[in-house]
Amino acid sequence: MSISQLEARLQELEQHALLLEPDASHRFPMQQAVERYAQHFLEALPEAPAFVPRSETHDSLAPFAIPEQPKPIAETLQVLQHQVDTPGINSASGGHLGYIPGGGLYYAGLGDYLAAVANKYAGIFYSAPGAVKMENLLLRWMAETIGFPAEAAGNLTSGGSIASLIALATARDAKQITSRLVPEAVVYLTSHTHHCLNKALRIAGLGECPIRLVPMDDRYRMQPQALRAVIEQDKAAGLTPWLLVASAGTTDVGAVDPLPELAAVAQQHQLWFHVDAAYGGFFALAPSGKEILRGIEQADSVVMDPHKGLFIPYGSGAVLIKDREQLAKTHYYSANYMQDALAADQEYSPADLSPELSKHFRGLRLWLPLQLHGVAAFRSALEEKLLLAQYAYAKLQELTGFETPAAPALSVVIFRYLPAAGADANAFNQRLVQAVQQDGRVFLSSTKLGDDFMLRFAILSFRTHKATIDLALEILQEKVRELQTQR
Ligand SMILES: Cc1ncc(COP(=O)(O)O)c(C=O)c1O
């Protein structure tokens, strides 16, 4: 190609590529259409179902097909509405009481929008000093919230699973668990520890560590005495006790392990003490939550998820490590092409403290709602969730036929219905949860305690209030009646 041919072709391509840069007259209508869609979604939310079973119309991939030429916004928003926002759990609904509900604060959405428009390169201080400072400040604020020292460091991750991976990789290197030592390095957890910890161990090359499931008490909390005993046994057998994983809010029942006692055992035996507070950690902001989480400040590492307890949309976890040098030792790396960034070392960069290099500027979706709402509103919402759990527990105890095996420590309430003697309780409760899900006004999920099939209220959406719990209790009684007449 001659230079003049090249120039002509470049001009042609530039003209076409300019489609990717809509001007204000194109941007505004698009933005208004999107905003209308969002407002309609939010206005309809109080009456919208919490669960819509998938139907055949949702099974085709065709509506998602990638076009060669532009499509109108109205058509694309229709796909979003029918194929994405309708089927499955409506995680924005206050009626979502299953699993661990996420948040979805509107101002977090605005933060994401602004982060995407400016597209700051938030992994490196040199390229985005303000973004990195904002994220580090958020992490310092979280550290302060749980009583960690100012020197602690951390990372805003995509969620609790990646945050746990960062914590365990750091714990591995801090305690010098080289591959030769892995089969002797013992990990202590309970059968209610979240499975992302087992996954993290495997991914971090620690899958061959012996794992001890420490017995729990009648409120599903790790028993410190039992932990002591099993550590002594392991030491006597020539093994190396390495890692203690406590939970500050288990997924199954919301239990908080006895953190001060476990911290003492960890200290005595020089274990790395990790606390999984992915679900429970932000209750430290609530007046009564602080006391429930007492002892968390003694951990070496903590995971707490803003997309759970801070009501941020999915995609926001956090890990905090007391010894920032250890965190950096495990994750720091450099490359020749990044030499310009080396001089800008006033702040640790996220890229120094996590597996990621390029990353979403996650800080803005947290910082903006905290600025615009103020922390006090979060404290009230979290205190409200704790009290709603107490309320649901008390109400369930009043209802004939329902069994509530453990009082809620945080905001998960576990229960089941006991049908007449001789009836299969597990089969009944399985049908009960399915009936509630099919009804759709609220969404509940189930779990097992030993061999017993159990239902749960997981109360964490900022949109869940007393009326939601009253409705859920009404629906449960209605479905019990219906199931009993079907027998
Ligand atoms: C206690 C606990 N830890 C860890 C996780 C994993 O977090 P994520 O789903 O954000 O990866 C969860 C998820 O529900 C959880 O409840």
Side-chain angles (χ1 to χ4, degrees), residues 100 159-161 194 196 249 251 276 278 305 307-308:
I100 299 290
S161 300
H194 194 274
C196 75
T251 317
D276 178 8
D305 281 353
H307 68 196
K308 297 185 175 81

Side-chain angles (χ1 to χ4, degrees), residues 99-101 157-164 192-197 199 247-252 276-280 303 305 307-308 314-318 456:
Y99 306 105
I100 299 290
T157 64
S158 59
S161 300
I162 298 298
S164 301
H192 279 200
T193 302
H194 194 274
H195 67 275
C196 75
L197 273 307
K199 245 169 101 167
S247 301
T250 57
T251 317
D252 286 284
D276 178 8
Y279 151 58
V303 162
D305 281 353
H307 68 196
K308 297 185 175 81
Y314 291 118
S316 280
R456 339 160 31 255

Side-chain angles (χ1 to χ4, degrees), residues 417-431:
Y417 186 78
L418 288 177
D424 180 344
N426 282 357
F428 188 91
N429 282 284
Q430 192 164 5
R431 284 164 60 213

Side-chain angles (χ1 to χ4, degrees), residues 239-400:
L239 297 173
T240 309
W242 161 52
L243 169 70
L244 170 60
V245 179
S247 301
T250 57
T251 317
D252 286 284
V253 303
V256 179
D257 288 329
L259 302 177
E261 290 83 352
L262 295 181
V265 180
Q267 198 180 20
Q268 184 190 347
H269 295 281
Q270 291 168 359
L271 306 184
W272 182 276
F273 183 32
H274 175 73
V275 176
D276 178 8
Y279 151 58
F282 282 104
F283 282 108
L285 287 171
S288 60
K290 195 130 200 123
E291 179 52 28
I292 301 170
L293 296 173
R294 197 170 51 82
I296 196 171
E297 71 286 349
Q298 295 185 58
D300 294 300
S301 52
V302 169
V303 162
M304 52 203 287
D305 281 353
H307 68 196
K308 297 185 175 81
L310 266 193
F311 318 123
I312 300 299
Y314 291 118
S316 280
V319 58
L320 298 167
I321 309 272
K322 209 172 250 169
D323 183 341
R324 74 162 78 185
E325 301 312 322
Q326 284 297 346
L327 176 62
K329 255 191 202 165
T330 296
H331 295 94
Y332 180 79
Y333 224 95
S334 193
N336 288 343
Y337 77 88
M338 289 174 64
Q339 60 189 0
D340 309 331
L342 288 178
D345 58 357
Q346 292 92 326
E347 288 273 340
Y348 264 121
S349 293
D352 300 329
L353 305 177
S354 82
E356 291 181 308
L357 178 56
S358 306
K359 69 183 270 297
H360 177 48
F361 174 21
R362 299 188 183 100
L364 196 47
R365 56 182 2 228
L366 262 88
W367 185 80
L368 198 63
L370 286 166
Q371 297 294 314
L372 299 182
H373 292 301
V375 180
F378 289 83
R379 292 187 205 285
S380 294
L382 287 162
E383 189 70 23
E384 181 198 18
K385 304 311 151 212
L386 293 173
L387 290 183
L388 281 175
Q390 300 293 335
Y391 174 74
Y393 177 68
K395 284 287 198 186
L396 279 164
Q397 282 182 312
E398 278 177 8
L399 295 182
T400 330

